[in-house]
């Protein structure tokens, strides 16, 4: 009993010390948003799930043990809480500042990768894991950059590391809402200027989030959506939020539709939906090839090729000129049906003759069940989500004219 009590006291003391150190972690000043992940609390809240799995894996192989040892011997100071920030006007890049606990171990860890360590000015070092993940470090600190769909920049990172006077400790942030989230939430998102807050718990491989989104526009007017058949859908999404409140969507339009975001901002009329059905459809394309006859004259040959594709629908509301710029071929061929300022695009031809709308109290909704995704789309990250049987649902409701209440649930219980 004395031994157990001693172990418990030591464990509690270590936990408290690590929690106090976590609040002294640095983040970049003038950041736009902050994302927090409480590693220790997630581990303690899921011991009943994690320990049996760890014991089972250890019996079969030593992969989990090797990974654990590699992390703890990397030379990094593993914090109780992990904080990421985004800079003003750059929501596609995440930054986190971490301490180096053992310089020799850290350099040894980096040498295990194929990439070389570049020496920069001011005794700074740059290392690139891949095109989206890079670090810059000195003998005390490391800045990690996760660039989503963008290239990393060694000089920008070096300036962020050099100007340490522009860092601030998390404990010095003055926000009662954020302070409460730091103490209670396993995972949270906070926008400094707009004071958007979303926080939640990860328990038994399920993440439940709640929060408030403050809009610059009147949310009460956004309540009409296209009538969507709720049966046999792998993914449903709709939004009647304004264009300036969906920056990720703007990036998608620029990258895949080759449409200038300024043009969209002027012509988009605050409605989009996107649906992926469980079934697939067959698309036919006529391919023209050329051959030569015995007189060496060119002969055109037509060949019909069939392709099985997912049944996808998406609807946009906007000016007629804007809708006409939406290309027909986006990954697959999309056939258009128009009604006033609305235009429906579908990979299935000739089955959708009309567009019907109905009242709905949710300006934004997202749902997907990866167990229902069509087999032909099981590639990359989607294949992993299918294997883990991930389900995601995000519901919203209008709390006031300019406040949106958000509730989200992510189930990743897998097998």
């Amino acid at each position: 009993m004395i031994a157990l009590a001693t172990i418990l006291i030591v464990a509690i003391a270590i936990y408290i010390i690590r929690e106090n150190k976590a609040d002294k972690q640095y983040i970049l000043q003038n950041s736009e948003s902050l994302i927090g992940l409480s590693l220790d609390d997630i581990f303690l809240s899921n011991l009943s799930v994690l320990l049996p799995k760890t014991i089972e894996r250890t019996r079969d192989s030593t992969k989990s043990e090797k990974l654990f040892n590699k992390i703890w011997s990397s030379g990094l100071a593993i914090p109780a809480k992990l904080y990421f920030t985004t800079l003003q006007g750059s929501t596609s890049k995440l930054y986190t500042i971490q301490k180096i606990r053992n310089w020799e171990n850290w350099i040894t860890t980096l040498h295990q990768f194929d990439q070389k360590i570049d020496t920069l000015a001011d005794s700074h070092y740059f290392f690139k894991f891949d095109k989206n993940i890079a670090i810059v470090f000195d003998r005390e600190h490391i800045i990690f950059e996760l660039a989503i769909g963008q290239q990393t920049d060694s000089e920008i990172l070096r300036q962020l590391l050099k100007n340490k006077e522009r860092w601030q400790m998390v404990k010095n942030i003055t926000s009662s809402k954020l302070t409460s989230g730091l103490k209670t939430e396993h995972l949270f998102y906070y926008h400094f200027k707009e004071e958007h807050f979303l926080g939640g718990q990860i328990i038994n491989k399920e993440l439940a989030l709640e929060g408030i989104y403050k809009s610059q526009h009147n949310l009460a007017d956004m309540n009409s959506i296209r009538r969507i058949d709720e049966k046999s859908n792998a993914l449903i999404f709709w939004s009647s939020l304004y264009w300036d409140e969906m920056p990720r969507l703007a990036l998608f339009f620029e990258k895949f539709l080759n449409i200038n975001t300024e043009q969209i901002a002027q012509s988009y009329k605050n409605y989009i939906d996107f649906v992926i059905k469980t079934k697939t459809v067959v698309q036919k394309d006529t391919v023209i090839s050329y051959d030569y006859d015995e007189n060496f004259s060119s002969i055109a040959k037509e060949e019909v090729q069939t392709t099985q594709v997912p049944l996808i629908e998406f609807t946009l509301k906007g000016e007629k000129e804007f809708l006409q710029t939406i290309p027909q071929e986006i990954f697959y061929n999309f056939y258009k049906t128009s009604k006033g300022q609305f235009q429906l695009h579908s990979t299935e031809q000739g089955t959708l003759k009309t567009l019907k709308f109905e009242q709905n109290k949710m300006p934004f909704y997202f749902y997907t069940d990866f167990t229902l995704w069509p087999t032909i789309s099981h590639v990359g990250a989607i294949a992993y989500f299918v294997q883990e049987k991930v389900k995601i649902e995000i519901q919203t409701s209008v709390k006031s004219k300019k406040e949106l209440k958000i509730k989200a649930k992510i189930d990743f219980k897998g097998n």
Side-chain angles (χ1 to χ4, degrees), residues 98-357:
Q98 300 301 326
K99 286 185 176 181
I100 295 177
R101 177 170 50 86
N102 186 299
W103 174 257
E104 288 74 19
N105 287 358
W106 172 240
I107 295 300
T108 300
T109 299
L110 291 184
H111 282 316
Q112 296 176 10
F113 297 88
D114 294 333
Q115 291 78 0
K116 70 172 184 175
I117 302 173
D118 295 327
T119 303
L120 307 177
D122 302 319
S123 299
H124 292 164
Y125 303 91
F126 177 77
F127 186 85
K128 200 168 184 177
F129 290 95
D130 58 32
K131 65 178 182 179
N132 300 124
I133 303 175
I135 59 173
V136 64
F137 59 96
D138 55 20
R139 285 184 168 267
E140 294 181 341
H141 295 96
I142 307 168
I143 297 183
F144 286 81
E145 180 187 65
L146 283 70
I148 304 171
Q150 294 188 18
Q151 293 291 331
T152 57
D153 191 313
S154 60
E155 180 57 27
I156 293 176
L157 277 173
R158 191 181 75 82
Q159 291 298 326
L160 293 175
L161 179 63
K162 179 182 179 181
N163 299 314
K164 293 186 178 182
E165 70 278 2
R166 297 181 183 176
W167 298 0
Q168 65 174 332
M169 288 187 181
V170 174
K171 69 174 186 178
N172 294 332
I173 300 174
T174 56
S175 169
S176 58
K177 186 181 294 186
L178 179 59
T179 301
S180 174
L182 290 171
K183 294 179 180 179
T184 60
E185 307 295 355
H186 289 172
L187 174 67
F188 70 84
Y189 166 84
Y190 180 75
H191 192 285
F192 288 100
K193 183 180 180 181
E194 306 297 339
E195 293 189 320
H196 303 151
F197 184 85
L198 189 66
Q201 309 288 316
I202 302 176
I203 298 176
N204 192 24
K205 300 189 79 173
E206 183 177 287
L207 169 61
L209 295 166
E210 289 192 21
I212 298 294
Y213 175 82
K214 294 184 179 181
S215 174
Q216 302 297 316
H217 308 280
N218 192 345
L219 295 167
D221 298 334
M222 309 174 187
N223 55 7
S224 181
I225 69 163
R226 177 170 69 94
R227 185 182 297 173
I228 300 172
D229 181 11
E230 296 184 357
K231 297 179 181 178
S232 302
N233 290 318
L235 182 147
I236 302 175
F237 158 74
W238 72 72
S239 173
S240 53
L241 298 177
Y242 279 72
W243 180 255
D244 57 5
E245 297 181 305
M246 297 186 295
R248 295 290 181 191
L249 192 60
L251 292 175
F252 174 83
F253 271 77
E254 271 195 324
K255 185 173 182 179
F256 296 106
L257 304 186
N258 196 26
I259 300 176
N260 186 276
T261 54
E262 293 182 2
Q263 176 192 355
I264 300 171
Q266 295 173 358
S267 305
Y268 178 74
K269 297 300 181 184
N270 311 326
Y271 180 80
I272 184 172
D273 66 47
F274 190 87
V275 180
I276 299 178
K277 301 281 188 178
T278 56
K279 71 173 187 176
T280 59
V281 295
V282 175
Q283 290 189 346
K284 295 181 179 180
D285 290 316
T286 301
V287 179
I288 299 177
S289 60
Y290 293 90
D291 201 355
Y292 296 94
D293 60 14
E294 58 184 9
N295 298 319
F296 298 100
S297 299
S298 179
I299 301 174
K301 291 184 177 181
E302 291 188 357
E303 181 182 355
V304 177
Q305 293 184 346
T306 60
T307 308
Q308 193 174 28
V309 304
L311 176 48
I312 302 174
E313 303 169 359
F314 72 91
T315 309
L316 286 169
K317 182 181 180 183
E319 300 289 350
K320 183 178 180 180
E321 294 76 12
F322 160 64
L323 296 176
Q324 289 176 344
T325 63
I326 306 297
Q328 180 176 337
E329 188 174 348
I330 315 166
F331 304 118
Y332 312 107
N333 287 326
F334 282 86
Y335 307 98
K336 301 178 181 181
T337 301
S338 298
K339 181 180 181 181
Q341 291 187 316
F342 292 91
Q343 191 173 79
L344 173 65
H345 305 248
S346 175
T347 54
E348 187 173 30
Q349 188 176 19
T351 57
L352 297 165
K353 302 296 184 183
T354 60
L355 282 164
K356 296 182 180 180
F357 293 83

Side-chain angles (χ1 to χ4, degrees), residues 30 76 91 157 244 272 296 333 372 376 406:
N30 302 320
L76 288 178
T91 57
L157 277 173
D244 57 5
I272 184 172
F296 298 100
N333 287 326
L372 300 178
I376 59 175
I406 302 172

